[in-house]
Amino acid sequence: MARIKYRDADVDLMARMMRAEAEGEGKQGMLYVGNVIVNRVKVDCSDFKNVNTVRQVIFQVQGGNFSFEAVQKGNMFYQRARDVERRLARRNLEFWRQHPAKFALWYFNPFGPCPPSWYNQPFSGQFKNHCYYEPAAGSCESVYTGA
C-alpha cells in the first residue's frame, strides 16, 4: 500500500521538484527531497495543516514565498520530468524513506555547516549540501507513525 494517495500527475510534479531541488546530489539526494514531500502530505500539523496533496505541498506559500525555492526561481522545476525521476518519485510514494530525511519536514542548503536546529526544529542529519530537520519532540507526532 502506498504511503499516500497519489495520481500520475503527482508523480510527475514530485519528480520535477526532486530534480530541481537535488539533481546535483544524485539519486539518493533526490530521494531525500521526495521523503520530505511525502512527509508533508502525511502530517496535519505545524506548517502543514490542511496540506493534503503533493500539489498543495509543492505550491504551498509561507511568509509570502513558495516553500520550495525551485518554484519561485523556475530553474529545472519547469522542465519535463524524466523517467529516472519518475521512478524515484514512485519509490518515495510507495515505500522508500531513510535517514536523515526519514521523518524530516524541512531541509535547506546553508552557506556553511548545518546548524543544530532550524526555527527550533532539531537537526536530523545531512546529505551532501542539504541539512534535514525533524519536528521538535511532541510537536508533530504523526510524522513518526505509519509507513
Side-chain angles (χ1 to χ4, degrees):
M1 185 161 111
R3 292 181 61 211
I4 60 171
K5 292 180 183 180
Y6 68 91
R7 301 170 303 145
D8 286 340
D10 296 323
V11 173
D12 199 63
L13 188 61
M14 192 166 141
R16 290 172 29 216
M17 181 57 66
M18 291 165 65
R19 177 182 179 196
E21 290 281 321
E23 182 180 40
E25 297 186 353
K27 291 177 183 177
Q28 190 81 9
M30 288 188 278
L31 283 166
Y32 290 139
V33 167
N35 256 359
V36 170
I37 293 168
V38 173
N39 288 344
R40 288 181 180 187
V41 173
K42 283 181 55 75
V43 302
D44 190 26
C45 56
S46 186
D47 299 331
F48 313 106
K49 289 184 185 218
N50 301 313
V51 180
N52 306 310
T53 68
V54 169
R55 182 169 192 75
Q56 288 173 337
V57 165
I58 289 176
F59 291 106
Q60 183 182 21
V61 175
Q62 295 176 309
N65 293 307
F66 288 105
S67 295
F68 292 99
E69 191 173 300
V71 176
Q72 288 173 193
K73 295 188 174 179
N75 63 29
M76 289 184 285
F77 177 67
Y78 292 102
Q79 295 179 16
R80 292 172 56 141
R82 299 178 297 195
D83 287 340
V84 65
E85 290 101 23
R86 283 190 197 97
R87 283 192 300 275
L88 293 172
R90 282 188 205 287
R91 273 176 83 181
N92 279 124
L93 291 160
E94 291 292 332
F95 65 90
W96 196 93
R97 81 194 287 205
Q98 288 186 9
H99 179 78
K102 185 173 185 175
F103 304 115
L105 293 176
W106 303 273
Y107 67 88
F108 81 110
N109 182 349
F111 290 107
C114 296
S117 66
W118 191 49
Y119 295 99
N120 298 319
Q121 308 306 323
F123 175 65
S124 62
Q126 180 174 357
F127 183 76
K128 296 191 178 181
N129 294 324
H130 281 103
C131 306
Y132 292 87
Y133 295 84
E134 297 180 5
S139 67
C140 195
E141 295 304 311
S142 60
V143 77
Y144 300 105
T145 61

